[in-house]
Amino acid sequence: MDRDESALPGLHHRSDDALLEKIQQDSFRFFAESCNTANGLIRDSTQPDSPCSIAAVGFALTAYGVAVERHWMTRDEAIARTLAALRFFDRADQSGASRGVGYRGFFYHFLHVETGERVWDSELSTIDTALLVAGMLTAARYFDRDDAKEDEIRATAQAIYERVDWAWARNGEATISMGWTPEQGFLPWRWTGYNEALLLYMLALGSPTHPVTQDAYAQWLSSYRWRTAYEQSYVYAGPLFIHQFSHIWIDFRDIQDAYMARRQIDYFENSRRATYVHCRYAQDNPRRFADYHGQCWGLTACDGPGPLTLEVDGHERKFFGYRARGAPDGPDDGTVAPWAAIASLPFAPELVMPTIRHLAQAMYDEASGYGFTCSFNPTLHLAAGDSGWMSPWHFGLNQGPIVLMIENYRSGLVWRLMCGCPPIAAGLRRAGFSGGWLQPASKEEATHDAQRRGAR
């Protein structure tokens, strides 16, 4: 994986801030070029005939404000794209039809980019709807001017959020179901344990129209797994994206729920510890994969070279396709995702910046114009003399965290916007969070809470 540092002199000689700016802008280009500007839908990936991922739309809606602030896009262009997406989802078929767009305020995971209809018999996804709504609410916070179009953004985002029937998605139990299909009804899996649904529960608890009750969050907390790995004690989850996604929109520094108060840390510190575990795991490299070290690490959900089984250096190795890889318990097949390390920048810049500089010399995909390759596996050599397998595709779910977590590190923009978002603040308080920026409640948040109580 080593490369002559003179190969990419433009990256090697930049200051940290200039390097981060380039990485952000190149990563954002995916959203700029993968958007159907007629309806605001964003392709899931650069693969041919890729459908829209509604989560990618949520990342894009959040990133447009960053693009305006960084002068990669004009405010008028960002407004046009934002309105196109909001108008599409506001007017979308919510009948639950098999080729519709959604039901009970939720939306199908994958949609046809041109028609907006459900594809692949995908599920009505509660988590992907949450990521989409988070993007809408961020846009509503950013576009705050007294202007007809910006007024429409705010009103439409709120209307879409208020239609989401979080209580229905519990399906008679405490926690929220992962999804529903018109053919089979609710999926058998639920959002329990520590995972990326922390954001989902804040939106569900903070809803002014269809909130879940506090027992949903209590049940969520009851299935946490606290463990120690590489001298770090934390709420465990193997893949790094779990420790990152909710943090894109919520600043968890110095605020605690009951569980974290007992452990005397917060979720930000929890993610910092998880980041250290991943770096230490790569240094330890218990499975002896090629090129794992302190500046090459990061296991998460990502594209992979499999499924296939090959003998490599006298050892039989199983390689996975798309899989949620994790540390230290695995699964692990030697596939590293640069974006997994980059999105931990706010948590542990002392680990991540050296890693970014190292990976920029080895895995930066200048040819595509979208920045880092999605994932790579230096253990798997498919042809003599190659440097290992590299994913040929870029995914919205990879590009978004790069843009947004770098921005939170550089300016805190998304965190500042969402600290003033009444549903987020209300959800956190109902979940039992206190401290830090949550004290005291603003007049706007108090009004939101009163509206929510009236809707119960």
Side-chain angles (χ1 to χ4, degrees):
M1 206 186 81
D2 294 332
R3 179 183 290 188
D4 182 355
E5 291 184 344
S6 65
L8 293 172
L11 293 180
H12 179 59
H13 296 293
R14 293 171 188 258
S15 67
D16 283 354
D17 197 62
L19 177 59
L20 292 176
E21 173 85 11
K22 175 174 173 54
I23 292 169
Q24 274 187 291
Q25 186 171 7
D26 287 350
S27 298
F28 175 76
R29 189 172 291 116
F30 170 88
F31 298 107
E33 297 180 359
S34 298
C35 179
N36 177 355
T37 56
N39 58 19
L41 299 184
I42 303 289
R43 294 187 184 278
D44 176 57
S45 73
T46 54
Q47 297 178 80
D49 301 318
S50 173
C52 161
S53 157
I54 62 169
V57 179
F59 284 122
L61 290 171
T62 308
Y64 291 148
V66 176
V68 174
E69 293 298 302
R70 295 289 173 188
H71 307 291
W72 311 328
M73 178 178 282
T74 68
R75 192 176 186 94
D76 286 345
E77 185 178 2
I79 287 171
R81 288 171 178 244
T82 300
L83 276 176
L86 288 170
R87 288 167 178 168
F88 168 79
F89 286 104
D90 187 44
R91 301 166 186 172
D93 177 358
Q94 275 277 314
S95 67
S98 62
R99 286 294 168 260
V101 182
Y103 185 53
R104 304 294 287 253
F106 294 95
F107 299 99
Y108 293 119
H109 191 163
F110 295 107
L111 306 173
H112 192 283
V113 172
E114 300 300 328
T115 68
E117 296 179 349
R118 175 196 188 207
V119 298
W120 295 347
D121 293 335
S122 59
E123 82 284 8
L124 192 80
S125 174
T126 52
I127 186 61
D128 291 279
T129 297
L131 297 173
L132 172 62
V133 168
M136 293 176 175
L137 294 176
T138 309
R141 293 295 300 173
Y142 181 77
F143 294 107
D144 60 354
R145 295 179 182 175
D146 185 11
D147 170 270
K149 290 182 178 179
E150 300 197 22
D151 288 346
E152 184 183 350
I153 288 173
R154 295 191 296 272
T156 308
Q158 186 66 22
I160 294 170
Y161 171 52
E162 290 183 359
R163 290 189 202 115
V164 182
D165 195 343
W166 308 98
W168 166 80
R170 296 172 71 172
N171 189 30
E173 297 187 26
T175 54
I176 294 174
S177 169
M178 288 190 177
W180 174 94
T181 68
E183 295 83 11
Q184 302 295 328
F186 281 100
L187 304 183
W189 308 287
R190 293 185 164 270
W191 290 112
T192 57
Y194 183 61
N195 52 52
E196 67 273 26
L198 183 58
L199 171 69
L200 179 152
Y201 277 101
M202 297 309 104
L203 292 171
L205 285 162
S207 171
T209 50
H210 305 288
V212 298
T213 49
Q214 289 160 311
D215 64 314
Y217 193 68
Q219 186 65 33
W220 154 272
L221 290 178
S222 71
S223 52
Y224 275 15
R225 178 185 173 195
W226 181 266
R227 65 166 295 180
T228 299
Y230 296 107
E231 296 85 47
Q232 302 293 332
S233 297
Y234 66 120
V235 179
Y236 178 74
L240 268 178
F241 82 94
I242 287 175
H243 298 281
Q244 297 162 346
F245 271 24
S246 295
H247 293 259
I248 290 171
W249 289 277
I250 303 177
D251 182 0
F252 284 102
R253 292 174 296 181
D254 301 321
I255 63 173
Q256 297 173 312
D257 60 14
Y259 185 98
M260 286 302 186
R262 288 195 300 271
R263 298 292 183 176
Q264 298 184 324
I265 66 170
D266 55 39
Y267 285 99
F268 185 92
E269 170 64 18
N270 198 77
S271 291
R272 188 193 72 82
R273 294 181 184 186
T275 301
Y276 265 78
V277 167
H278 274 252
C279 185
R280 285 286 306 278
Y281 171 81
Q283 291 173 324
D284 190 46
N285 194 11
R287 294 174 173 85
R288 299 297 178 260
F289 290 114
D291 288 331
Y292 274 29
H293 53 76
Q295 295 179 359
C296 182
W297 52 273
L299 303 184
T300 196
C302 67
D303 192 23
L308 71 151
T309 301
L310 293 174
E311 184 174 302
V312 179
D313 297 330
H315 299 281
E316 184 179 275
R317 298 282 197 184
K318 291 184 178 180
F319 298 97
F320 313 125
Y322 191 90
R323 190 86 174 257
R325 296 160 172 85
D329 295 345
D332 182 14
D333 64 349
T335 301
V336 174
W339 71 273
I342 297 167
S344 282
L345 181 62
F347 308 129
E350 69 279 9
L351 298 182
V352 177
M353 274 310 306
T355 299
I356 289 175
R357 287 207 164 273
H358 174 80
L359 293 176
Q361 299 306 315
M363 289 295 127
Y364 209 80
D365 183 7
E366 290 277 23
S368 74
Y370 298 144
F372 283 99
T373 186
C374 159
S375 51
F376 62 96
N377 190 314
T379 297
L380 176 60
H381 298 271
L382 297 175
D386 72 21
S387 57
W389 175 87
M390 290 187 289
S391 173
W393 317 119
H394 294 267
F395 294 80
L397 266 64
N398 307 165
Q399 305 297 95
I402 292 175
V403 176
L404 300 173
M405 287 300 262
I406 288 179
E407 190 60 36
N408 278 331
Y409 172 75
R410 295 178 74 191
S411 75
L413 175 63
V414 181
W415 286 340
R416 290 200 314 273
L417 291 170
M418 297 307 277
C419 280
C421 180
I424 293 294
L428 287 165
R429 287 197 181 91
R430 293 197 75 202
F433 281 85
S434 61
W437 59 266
L438 271 176
Q439 304 297 334
S442 69
K443 184 179 295 185
E444 184 181 10
E445 291 161 11
T447 300
H448 174 87
D449 285 341
Q451 291 172 339
R452 173 183 51 77
R453 288 193 296 271
R456 291 177 60 184

